[in-house]
């Protein structure tokens, strides 16, 4: 029995921006045959440079997604996390270093045109507010995510380093 089996058919992935949530969700979806839901795609309008949808529309799309019987859902949006966790059967927290997250941000905006979790027809560009978010705001978020992790009563996994993440991919058969 694998860790993924313990997490069940509705897996919630939480973690700082650029920590690898989308890539992990895609790998789990392939392995387990689960539909993947990228919350950034529900929150932002397609064919834009990350323009948000109206809040009511985002909440409606989120509610539709969590009502499904099977999913792996990645993204934060902690203001609506309680509803997601009510439906989730398992929880994964990614908490890789700020340096790695920042590196991934630059790599994805400059070099990755077809990446997991990207907006349909969207355009990733380097934004100062995202750099600030990755370096300053995320420090508070990491503490909040750790507290959420400690209080969640679902089967759960915390992956805090690039090495732990690689090991998880290998032991769960998520590579390739």
């Amino acid at each position: 029995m694998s860790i993924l089996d313990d997490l069940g058919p509705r897996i919630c992935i939480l973690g700082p921006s650029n920590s690898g949530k989308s890539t992990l969700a895609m790998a789990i979806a392939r392995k387990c045959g689960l539909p993947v839901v990228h919350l950034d795609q529900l929150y932002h309008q397609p064919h834009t440079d990350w323009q948000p949808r109206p809040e009511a529309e985002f909440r409606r799309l989120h509610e539709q997604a969590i009502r499904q019987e099977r999913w792996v859902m990645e993204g934060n949006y902690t203001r609506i996390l309680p509803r997601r966790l009510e439906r989730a059967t398992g929880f994964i927290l990614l908490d890789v270093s700020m340096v790695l997250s920042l590196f991934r941000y630059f790599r994805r905006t400059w070099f990755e045109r077809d990446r997991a979790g990207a907006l349909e027809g969207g355009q990733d560009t380097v934004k100062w507010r995202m750099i600030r978010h990755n370096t300053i705001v995320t420090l508070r978020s990491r503490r909040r995510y750790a507290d959420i992790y400690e209080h969640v009563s679902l089967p759960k996994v915390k992956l805090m380093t690039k090495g732990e993440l690689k090991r998880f991919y290998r032991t769960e058969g998520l590579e390739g």
Side-chain angles (χ1 to χ4, degrees):
M1 183 115 161
S2 76
I3 293 171
L4 285 176
D5 291 334
D6 292 341
L7 297 178
R10 291 184 300 279
I11 301 170
C12 177
I13 302 174
L14 191 73
S17 297
N18 307 291
S19 60
K21 297 181 301 292
S22 297
T23 303
L24 178 59
M26 293 295 291
I28 291 171
R30 275 192 306 275
K31 167 82 190 260
C32 300
L34 297 173
V36 66
V37 178
H38 302 285
L39 290 177
D40 278 346
Q41 292 175 347
L42 298 186
Y43 183 73
H44 297 94
Q45 297 177 42
H47 304 286
T48 69
D49 191 11
W50 300 94
Q51 297 301 310
R53 296 177 192 273
E55 184 68 16
E57 183 180 351
F58 170 56
R59 286 178 181 269
R60 182 184 55 76
L61 292 170
H62 178 265
E63 193 63 31
Q64 281 180 319
I66 64 173
R67 273 190 260 147
Q68 302 305 309
E69 288 303 311
R70 300 170 46 79
W71 41 259
V72 56
M73 191 173 297
E74 64 82 18
N76 300 320
Y77 303 96
T78 55
R79 65 189 177 276
I80 55 175
L81 181 63
R83 285 286 300 133
R84 197 172 331 137
L85 291 177
E86 286 174 15
R87 290 281 300 145
T89 56
F91 183 71
I92 299 174
L93 175 62
L94 297 181
D95 195 11
V96 299
S97 74
M98 178 190 57
V99 172
L100 181 58
S101 292
L102 202 53
F103 168 77
R104 286 178 172 169
Y105 173 67
F106 287 115
R107 184 183 68 198
R108 87 179 200 189
T109 55
W110 288 335
F111 303 111
E112 295 177 1
R113 292 292 160 228
D114 187 29
R115 67 172 183 79
L119 294 184
E120 179 184 337
Q123 309 152 1
D124 279 340
T125 58
V126 174
K127 296 170 185 59
W128 283 111
R129 67 181 159 81
M130 278 304 295
I131 294 169
R132 180 186 179 281
H133 180 81
N134 274 297
T135 56
I136 297 169
V137 175
T138 295
L139 292 175
R140 289 188 304 271
S141 297
R142 287 176 193 273
R143 288 190 290 272
R144 187 170 64 245
Y145 300 157
D147 187 56
I148 290 167
Y149 182 85
E150 291 307 316
H151 291 93
V152 162
S153 60
L154 298 167
K156 57 189 172 182
V157 177
K158 184 189 290 187
L159 304 167
M160 301 209 38
T161 67
K162 188 175 178 181
E164 287 178 0
L165 193 55
K166 281 185 173 186
R167 223 172 356 270
F168 184 76
Y169 270 79
R170 189 176 56 252
T171 60
E172 296 301 312
L174 299 175
E175 298 167 319

